[in-house]
Each structure stands twice: as C-alpha cells, then as structure tokens.
Amino acid sequence: MSKYITTPIYYVNGEAHIGHAYTTFIADTIARYEKLKGHDTYFLTGTDEHGEKIEESAKKSGKSIQEFTDEMSATFKNLWDEFEIAYDKFIKTTDENHKIGVQKAFKVMYAKGDIYKGFYEGNYCISCETFFPETQLTDGEFCPDCGRTTNIVKEESYFFKLSKYEDRLLKHYEDNPDFILPRSRGNEVINFVKGGLRDLSVTRTSFSWGVKMPKSFNDDKHVMYVWLDALLNYITALGYGKDDALMNYWPASTQFVGKDILRFHAIYWPAFLMSLDLPLPKHIGAHGWWTRDGEKMSKSKGNVVSPKEVADAYGVENLRYFMLREVPFGQDGDFSQRAFIDRINSELSNDLGNLLNRIIGMSGKYSDFEINSVDVEKYHTKELNDMNEILDNLDALMENLQTHRYLEELWKLFSIGNKAIEEHAPWVKIKEDKKDEALATVALVANILAKASVMLSPVMPKTTNIIADALNFSIDNTSYKELVVDKKLLKLFNIKKVPPLFPRVEEPLMEEAPKAMPDDNPNDEMKEELAAKKEKKEEDNLIEIGQFFETSLKVGVVVEAEEVPKSKKLLKLQVDLGENSNRQVVAGIKEFYSAESLIGTQVCVVANLKPAKLMGMMSEGMLLAAKDEDGLCLIRPEKPKKVGTPIG
Ligand code: MSP
C-alpha cells in the first residue's frame, strides 16, 4: 500500500515559526508511522514562492526576487534538515518542473471548458492574496482574515468555474465523512459551499511574479493566481505535467493544513482535481492554531515562538513530544514554557526516563545486565494482557490523527511497568531467594520499554533509537511486526547503560519575552492602521457598569491549603465564602505562596465562574491577584471583612 503525506508549502516572506514546525512535525510523524508499518510512503514539504506579497518583500530586501526566495526557502529547508525531518522531496514553486506542471494543468482545465476569460472587480487583500465579497469585510474595508486594508481591484482575469463543482463537492463531503479531519471542521466547509460558490479568478495582471500563462494562450500580461499555482504543487511534485514519474502515489492519504487554509484545500483543491479528472485526497487534516502564553502570536507583539530557539534550548524531540501531546488534533494549542517543562519533567523524565534507568540499574545488580524473558509469561500474564490491549488500540488513534490520545495511551504502558515494579518489588524477591521472579519483572519492563519505543519512534525517532540501542534491538518494520503486531518478547539480550535521556528542567530555559523577529510587513502605513484599529478595539472594549456587576466578587477565607503533587504551580485551597460548604479553588500561586502561609488569610474570589478542571481537579472559583515582573501578589481586603461580603 502506498501513502502520500504533505504539509502546506510555506510562504517565504518570513521565517519559520512554531505553527509551521507543528504542521511539519505532525506530517513527519505520520509519514514515519506509515513507514514503520511497512507502507511505501512519500512525504512532501516545500515553499510557496510566488505572488505579490513575496514580490513586495523581495523588493524591500534589495535582492532580486529569485535570490530572495531562494535564500528564504533555504532557511526552511535548513531548519527541517537540522530537525531531521524525513521528507522525500522539498518542492519550491519556482522549480521549473513545477511551473511546467501548473501550465499543463491550466491547459487541461481550459480544454475541459472550466476556464474562461472575464473581468474581476472586488476587494482584494494583498497579504492574503484573496478577494473578499463586501459582506465579509470587517467594517466594510478590512480583510476578515488578517485585518489589513483591502483595495478595490478591477482587472481582466481568467476564471475557474468553481460554481460548476458545488454539487459534486457537497456529494463528496457527504459520501466521505472523513474527508475533512477532524470531522467537526467539516461543517464550516459544507456551510460555506452551501452558501453558493462564485467562480474563482485564477490569473492576475497587477503583478508579474508568478507562473506565466502557457505559451499557446499568447496572453503574457497574466500570471497564475498564487493559490492555483501553490495547490498544484502536491501533484507537480510527483511529476504531473512532466513525466508523471511518481503519480502512483496520488491520491494523497493525508494533506495537513492549518485551519486558516482549510477552505482552499477542502473546496478549491478538490474542485481543481475534479476538473483534472484526478482522484481526491483521502483526508485533509486541519489543525488548530498555536498561541503563546494564551496570546495570539504576532511579529508586531514580538511574541512569535521561534522553533529553532525552542529546539536549541529544550531539544527538538522534546518539542515534538510536547506539541503532539499537548493539543487534540484540530484544536488550538498554547505554547508556554511552564506547560512544556511540566511535561518534560513528569512524563518524559519521571515516567519514561526513570523506568529505563531503573531497569538498567536492576539488571546490572541482579543479572550482570542480562535480560532473560523466559519467565515473563509465567509471572506476568495480567500485565502482558493489559499491555497488548493498549498496543492494539494505538493504531486507530494515530490513523485518526489523535496524537495526544495516542501518546496518552502509550504512556499507560509505562504505568504498567512502574506498577509492576512496585507490586512485585524485585529487590524483595531477590532477598527471598526468588531470583527467577525478580528477573521476570525486570524482563517484563524491559519488553514494555522496547514495545513502547517502537510505537514512540515516529514522534521521537532519535531518542527511541537510543533506547532501542540500550535494549540491543533496532526499530524498523521487522521489530514493529514482531514486537507490536505479533506480540513477541525480546528473549535474551544484554542491556547497555545510557546517560539520562531527559534531564529535569528546573527553570525556563528561554527568556520569557523573546526579542521581536524581523517584521515581514514593515510597511509604516499598515502599522499605523493596525495601531489605529487596536485603539478602536480598546474603545470598543469599554463595558457598561451592568456588565461589571455580572461578575460576582466576594471576600473569602482560606481554611485549608495543600500543594498539588507533580505541579510546580498549583495549590489546592478550600475557601469559605459564607456558603453552605467551602469552595475548592485550584490556584497557580505555588511559586509565590506556601500552602501553610495562606491558611486563615482573606482572599478575593470570583464566585460565579463556571467550574473548571485543572490537572484533574475541580476548581470552583478564581482568586484575584496582580502579577508583574517582580512576581505575583494576592489582592486582599485592606481590613478583615465578613466572609461572603460582596466586592463592588
Ligand atoms: N503558502 C500558504 C500555503 C499554501 S499550501 C498549497 C500558506 N503559507 S503560510 O506560511 O502562511 O502558512 C503555512 C501553514 O502554517 C498554514 O497551515 C498555517 O495554518 C500554519 N500556521 C501559521 N500560523 C500558525 C499558528 N500560529 N499556529 C499553527 N499554525 C499556523 O498559508
């Protein structure tokens, strides 16, 4: 079976950020997973180098456009190489073969009667390279996607008959409910199509940095619309329009995109493919957006997370693990060093790293590093059954792109291992002269580590190779089949010592406020406009007094307080608000207050918040606090007040 996995191709007018890294990590993980399963897999990534926006950025750089795009494209390629992304091809849309393929597709669509010439007049956003109907503009003027000013553009244009494909598209979504993953994202696309599709302008005359029209059209003033050009990369990379050399990989199995470009991939792209009489991709996997510490990342705020900086500080494999574990595929995710460090310390270092160390330590002590699985089945049937059940469930999760659930399940294997050690206490068995039992437990856990490493390898390829090396086997399709599919055990081997794989991280390793990255949009006019919009938004943010009183604030007293185990941040408090029972409040203040110091003190509580779960514990309120660069302090009444006194 062949598999074809793609990432979007990245615009070359800015540097790679964490959002690009996420798409690339997840696509790389799925491609590695398919290869592990023995599928003939092709993985494509690359850069999107045409269009007005890039032409403008190149002009500002003072370089020739091609020189500029080559340099910027190389920054992406070099980064992916440094991160050991296992792509099979890195495509550039300025590649000659790509241009030939785009021209060929244009001719095929035209011959089919799907392309005609006309005039376009509309509100155009240069930054998004998109026309928007007036009804979609913000305040009748601004781009609904990026907020920049749109311009009225009237130009001669070739159009693609998108409207012709409305019914076929709707039928395809209906017949293939997993075409868009997660399914929940499908509705927005379906509703958009149901709202009616207008034909799509697919050429431009207002700039020249694009794929030229096929010679036979004799119409040099047009260049191809960048989205037509860009989407076609997925087939030109396989030789479409040239030699079709790799077209056996088409249709793609999963094409990864961010939610902002889902519409292009779930509407335009399938319509283009229908016009070309090519099959549609099996899945379009749309992921959410990453924020930083809860805030949208933007170059002007200077809070864009640079994946290189994070990888240099924490290691690229830890970053891969964090990003894939942290968010359910399709939902937005937040990058914070705190959350990242918590996962490194508790999941990677404690659960996985310590288990490996314990096994190395015990086998060294009890059997001169020799692991023998001869008695594992005799003493550990239950653990083996539990482990096999987990292994059997993993595949469906990965196939559904549920990486967070996949890793969560995978981690249960380490719990089985840790629990087996606690319950069977090999050190006691040794003292009781039951060496075969002790060694069986050690061998069980070594096997758990081996199987888990195979399944973790698509996410953390280098780290798992080190573990496999310590356990004296290699991770590949053969070991996948033997250890995971056929549930065999590694029989007899010598284990090797390895240095700790996941040193604990005590403090954030990067500055919290990173220096601003170079702005890709240094146009002063636009900056002023954004500042004006911000001001307007702040004005719009004023609230009526009634809105303020919708929040119920009350004085309370802390009656109990304790630390939340495994959390650096959280304290669990019981707060008396003068109600029938105390409220449980889980607050992120452990770094600033000890539990004991809070007992008996007064606090101000937001009392009508919907309860929320933090680290599995219900929190039924929020404490008022102020935080600046010197730290955090609780807001308390100046003089003691009765519990339950309203604040207003
Ligand atoms: N060039 C187009 C894609 C053409 S594909 C035929 C493009 N490029 S992009 O560089 O702007 O974005 C590439 C990908 O990065 C998109 O999938 C986009 O969703 C993703 N992200 C951009 N910012 C992001 C976050 N903050 N978080 C997660 N992903 C985000 O669009």
Side-chain angles (χ1 to χ4, degrees):
M1 200 194 305
S2 80
K3 297 278 173 178
Y4 181 31
I5 312 285
T6 66
T7 72
I9 44 173
Y10 304 112
Y11 284 133
V12 288
N13 58 336
E15 285 173 23
H17 63 66
I18 202 100
H20 301 136
Y22 176 64
T23 328
T24 308
F25 289 156
I26 192 161
D28 184 60
T29 297
I30 300 292
R32 286 175 186 271
Y33 185 75
E34 297 297 353
K35 283 177 193 160
L36 184 69
K37 290 208 302 183
H39 295 147
D40 173 16
T41 304
Y42 199 75
F43 170 28
L44 174 73
T45 188
T47 42
D48 190 353
E49 306 181 11
H50 287 128
E52 195 169 6
K53 197 165 50 169
I54 307 236
E55 188 178 278
E56 276 188 359
S57 300
K59 277 186 192 147
K60 274 174 212 144
S61 76
K63 296 179 183 138
S64 79
I65 313 182
Q66 190 62 60
E67 210 184 330
F68 172 80
T69 57
D70 285 347
E71 272 178 23
M72 292 301 291
S73 170
T75 62
F76 280 90
K77 189 163 184 293
N78 293 340
L79 186 68
W80 302 154
D81 289 343
E82 192 181 321
F83 284 1
E84 300 191 27
I85 301 299
Y87 57 80
D88 294 287
K89 183 175 171 81
F90 186 99
I91 193 171
K92 289 166 91 286
T93 53
T94 53
D95 288 344
E96 267 332 295
N97 285 350
H98 169 74
K99 294 189 219 167
I100 292 169
V102 173
Q103 289 174 336
K104 162 83 190 215
F106 195 89
K107 284 199 271 188
V108 173
M109 291 173 177
Y110 188 82
K112 183 107 184 259
D114 282 351
I115 286 184
Y116 62 92
K117 202 168 177 178
F119 275 93
Y120 194 90
E121 180 165 1
N123 306 283
Y124 186 65
C125 173
I126 299 182
S127 182
C128 300
E129 313 266 13
T130 311
F131 279 102
F132 291 97
E134 214 166 324
T135 48
Q136 280 183 21
L137 299 181
T138 311
D139 297 338
E141 187 184 351
F142 300 109
C143 170
D145 283 352
C146 72
R148 295 184 173 92
T149 304
T150 56
N151 297 312
I152 303 252
V153 172
K154 178 170 184 188
E155 46 176 73
E156 187 186 81
S157 175
Y158 285 85
F159 285 85
F160 173 76
K161 283 190 187 165
L162 188 61
S163 53
K164 170 177 158 186
Y165 290 97
E166 221 172 274
D167 292 340
R168 269 182 75 185
L169 284 169
L170 287 171
K171 179 154 178 10
H172 187 78
Y173 306 139
E174 196 177 322
D175 294 347
N176 301 276
D178 283 335
F179 176 60
I180 298 166
L181 287 176
R183 283 184 179 199
S184 52
R185 285 231 170 266
N187 286 341
E188 70 199 46
V189 171
I190 293 170
N191 289 339
F192 189 86
V193 177
K194 280 189 177 158
L197 293 177
R198 299 203 309 183
D199 290 349
L200 185 71
S201 157
V202 287
T203 64
R204 297 283 184 272
T205 54
S206 53
F207 62 93
S208 56
W209 184 243
V211 178
K212 307 240 168 324
M213 294 287 284
K215 282 223 160 45
S216 53
F217 280 71
N218 207 3
D219 207 352
D220 277 354
K221 67 172 187 287
H222 290 265
V223 290
M224 308 278 180
Y225 171 46
V226 65
W227 271 103
L228 173 68
D229 159 5
L231 287 163
L232 287 165
N233 93 87
Y234 300 129
I235 51 174
T236 62
L238 301 178
Y240 177 84
K242 184 82 178 147
D243 55 11
D244 284 351
L246 296 168
M247 279 300 279
N248 57 304
Y249 283 106
W250 192 259
S253 26
T254 305
Q255 304 208 258
F256 286 98
V257 298
K259 64 180 181 182
D260 54 318
I261 57 171
L262 174 60
R263 208 180 281 169
F264 296 95
H265 284 80
I267 301 174
Y268 300 175
W269 179 224
F272 294 160
L273 287 166
M274 286 172 181
S275 177
L276 296 173
D277 287 319
L278 286 172
L280 306 195
K282 294 272 176 294
H283 308 292
I284 303 291
H287 65 75
W289 268 48
W290 282 83
T291 49
R292 174 171 203 171
D293 298 317
E295 284 195 43
K296 197 169 171 202
M297 282 185 274
S298 83
K299 292 180 183 169
S300 51
K301 273 194 212 156
N303 67 344
V304 176
V305 185
S306 146
K308 165 107 175 88
E309 195 186 333
V310 185
D312 286 347
Y314 291 93
V316 66
E317 298 232 330
N318 288 356
L319 177 61
R320 285 171 75 110
Y321 173 78
F322 171 72
M323 297 194 92
L324 299 190
R325 174 66 186 82
E326 184 74 1
V327 287
F329 183 78
Q331 290 184 22
D332 291 344
D334 186 49
F335 178 87
S336 80
Q337 293 197 73
R338 254 300 121 228
F340 189 13
I341 292 171
D342 279 350
R343 287 207 186 274
I344 293 177
N345 289 346
S346 73
E347 289 157 21
L348 294 174
S349 184
N350 274 1
D351 299 341
L352 169 54
N354 280 352
L355 194 60
L356 180 65
N357 292 343
R358 288 177 95 177
I359 287 311
I360 295 174
M362 285 193 268
S363 71
K365 224 163 157 186
Y366 309 144
S367 55
D368 200 16
F369 297 105
E370 188 184 274
I371 303 277
N372 191 336
S373 301
V374 66
D375 288 324
V376 173
E377 274 160 17
K378 183 167 154 200
Y379 294 109
H380 291 292
T381 335
K382 171 153 179 7
E383 285 89 350
L384 288 175
N385 288 342
D386 290 350
M387 172 174 78
N388 290 340
E389 199 183 317
I390 292 171
L391 290 173
D392 285 340
N393 290 337
L394 288 175
D395 187 56
L397 295 171
M398 192 62 112
E399 289 295 337
N400 274 316
L401 315 180
Q402 305 250 354
T403 58
H404 80 294
R405 285 279 302 112
Y406 178 92
L407 291 168
E408 193 179 34
E409 281 299 299
L410 189 55
W411 247 246
K412 290 187 182 161
L413 295 177
F414 304 131
S415 302
I416 295 178
N418 274 314
K419 214 167 133 210
I421 296 179
E422 294 316 318
E423 278 175 6
H424 293 265
W427 51 94
V428 175
K429 297 278 153 57
I430 292 279
K431 278 192 197 139
E432 292 170 355
D433 226 10
K434 294 177 184 158
K435 192 169 175 185
D436 56 341
E437 255 188 87
L439 295 188
T441 305
V442 176
L444 166 80
V445 179
N447 274 284
I448 288 180
L449 281 164
K451 287 166 200 264
S453 302
V454 173
M455 295 311 269
L456 182 58
S457 66
V459 179
M460 306 187 81
K462 266 185 139 168
T463 312
T464 48
N465 271 337
I466 301 174
I467 301 177
D469 191 43
L471 299 176
N472 216 344
F473 80 108
S474 321
I475 296 178
D476 50 27
N477 178 244
T478 312
S479 56
Y480 166 77
K481 277 199 199 127
E482 287 179 4
L483 298 177
V484 179
V485 180
D486 298 338
K487 313 281 188 308
K488 289 189 187 147
L489 297 177
L490 292 171
K491 288 282 175 238
L492 178 68
F493 59 96
N494 279 311
I495 200 165
K496 272 191 240 156
K497 277 191 183 173
V498 283
L501 293 177
F502 309 104
R504 284 183 68 79
V505 181
E506 299 303 341
E507 287 302 321
L509 300 174
M510 296 179 341
E511 268 181 52
E512 282 298 350
K515 59 182 179 3
M517 292 176 87
D519 203 326
D520 73 335
N521 171 26
N523 179 328
D524 288 342
E525 216 177 287
M526 277 189 187
K527 274 191 179 160
E528 272 169 32
E529 187 189 294
L530 287 172
K533 272 185 72 183
K534 193 169 161 248
E535 218 167 85
K536 180 165 184 315
K537 210 170 158 212
E538 271 160 17
E539 253 171 52
D540 291 347
N541 273 346
L542 294 179
I543 59 167
E544 301 291 337
I545 184 85
Q547 283 172 277
F548 172 73
F549 282 115
E550 283 173 15
T551 312
S552 161
L553 298 170
K554 287 185 182 171
V555 174
V557 68
V558 179
V559 288
E560 282 174 38
E562 61 183 279
E563 298 192 345
V564 173
K566 280 198 176 176
S567 167
K568 273 196 136 187
K569 257 189 173 172
L570 299 179
L571 291 181
K572 188 168 84 177
L573 315 176
Q574 303 299 328
V575 182
D576 181 0
L577 286 182
E579 299 167 333
N580 290 341
S581 54
N582 293 333
R583 295 268 193 121
Q584 174 161 298
V585 176
V586 180
I589 54 174
K590 187 164 159 186
E591 288 155 288
F592 310 98
Y593 291 91
S594 68
E596 314 80 69
S597 70
L598 289 171
I599 297 174
T601 66
Q602 290 210 319
V603 283
C604 298
V605 181
V606 184
N608 61 343
L609 276 182
K610 276 197 185 139
K613 258 194 178 169
L614 292 173
M615 282 189 76
M617 289 164 306
M618 264 312 181
S619 184
E620 303 162 315
M622 193 176 91
L623 303 189
L624 292 190
K627 191 175 177 191
D628 63 10
E629 54 289 352
D630 294 331
L632 172 147
C633 76
L634 289 169
I635 310 291
R636 307 175 188 278
E638 194 194 354
K639 293 181 194 141
K641 286 279 148 201
K642 264 195 235 130
V643 288
T645 306
I647 303 170

